[in-house]
Amino acid sequence: MPTPPPVKSSPRRKPVRISPQKRARANAIFDTLGALHDAPKTELEFVNPYTLLVAVVLSAQATDAGVNRATRALFATVQTPAQMLALGLDGLKSHIRTIGLYNAKAANVIALSALLLERHGGEVPADRAALEALPGVGRKTASVVLNEAFGHATCAVDTHVFRVAHRTGLSTAKTPDGVEDDLLRLIPPRWARPAHHLLILHGRYLCKARTPECWRCPIVAPCAFADKRLSPR
């Protein structure tokens, strides 16, 4: 899953009042996208919470498709932290060489696997603080695991969510954390769990970075994007 460009950390913004118009826009956007996608989920392939965690760590600055190609053979035999440690650093690298930054990612996966055994009995914790204490696991990775593996109503902000939130007018925040704060206040409770998947799918296949396909967008009416392309070139 791609991540937004790195930004300087800053304190969380003070929440501002949400206007009825903005609340109505959010309802229209999520109701429309939700009606189009039945039970949306991550496109990363995984077997259990541990392999999901590994896949998400590997997906930083990489595509889900590229990670899936690399992990299919890996996850056929490695599905627990103990099995990962038995495979070893070099063995893991041999599986994920096609993924960007694979040396650093492999080191993080080995280190987090050791800590899962040491601190959590080999299980992935369903707790944000415990997840973020693992090597290579930041807020976005923890949010994805909590949402997908444990059903928590989190909103992981990747580059697609960041872009769609800005274009639609759901957020003007300059950081992923700020966008997350805005979205969590706007997402209707009925869409709390699948919301970030809905935004990811929309950004990946329609609201693309270079050429948003507004002419066939189902949320073109409530979208606040100023440069809508209402016909294909």
Side-chain angles (χ1 to χ4, degrees):
M1 182 184 293
T3 54
V7 294
K8 293 182 180 180
S9 59
S10 59
R12 285 261 206 291
R13 297 178 305 156
K14 183 178 180 180
V16 296
R17 178 180 174 274
I18 298 174
S19 68
Q21 293 82 3
K22 194 168 189 177
R23 181 76 65 187
R25 175 185 296 152
N27 285 334
I29 287 171
F30 286 106
D31 283 347
T32 301
L33 294 180
L36 294 173
H37 300 283
D38 182 31
K41 59 183 181 178
T42 180
E43 293 185 339
L44 288 170
E45 298 172 4
F46 64 96
V47 178
N48 54 28
Y50 172 70
T51 54
L52 172 65
L53 174 60
V54 171
V56 180
V57 168
L58 296 178
S59 72
Q61 301 182 52
T63 65
D64 289 0
V67 172
N68 290 339
R69 286 192 295 271
T71 58
R72 283 180 191 131
L74 174 66
F75 292 161
T77 56
V78 176
Q79 300 176 6
T80 68
Q83 290 171 340
M84 187 66 76
L85 293 179
L87 178 66
L89 182 62
D90 290 338
L92 175 56
K93 287 182 180 180
S94 70
H95 280 280
I96 65 170
R97 289 185 186 278
T98 56
I99 300 175
L101 306 175
Y102 75 91
N103 282 313
K105 291 176 181 179
N108 282 333
V109 168
I110 294 296
L112 72 82
S113 299
L115 283 180
L116 287 175
L117 286 168
E118 177 185 329
R119 298 177 181 176
H120 306 287
E123 299 296 323
V124 176
D127 175 80
R128 179 178 294 281
L131 284 169
E132 291 185 18
L134 298 172
V137 179
R139 184 170 184 84
K140 180 179 73 70
T141 296
S143 292
V144 173
V145 173
L146 290 171
N147 181 280
E148 192 70 32
F150 302 109
H152 293 199
T154 60
C155 186
V157 178
D158 72 350
T159 188
H160 298 302
V161 174
F162 193 87
R163 178 175 67 254
V164 172
H166 276 245
R167 284 181 176 170
T168 55
L170 296 179
S171 177
T172 58
K174 299 185 184 301
T175 67
D177 285 353
V179 170
E180 180 183 354
D181 289 343
D182 288 344
L183 290 175
L184 288 175
R185 296 177 66 220
L186 279 170
I187 295 167
R190 58 191 173 278
W191 301 114
R193 186 186 179 193
H196 85 277
H197 290 305
L198 297 174
L199 296 177
I200 288 170
L201 292 171
H202 189 65
R204 182 173 290 160
Y205 297 112
L206 277 178
C207 194
K208 302 172 185 177
R210 294 186 179 181
T211 55
E213 298 178 7
C214 307
W215 62 89
R216 66 185 189 96
C217 175
I219 58 170
V220 67
C223 177
F225 188 39
D227 299 320
K228 293 177 182 175
R229 301 184 178 190
L230 300 180
S231 62
R233 289 184 177 179

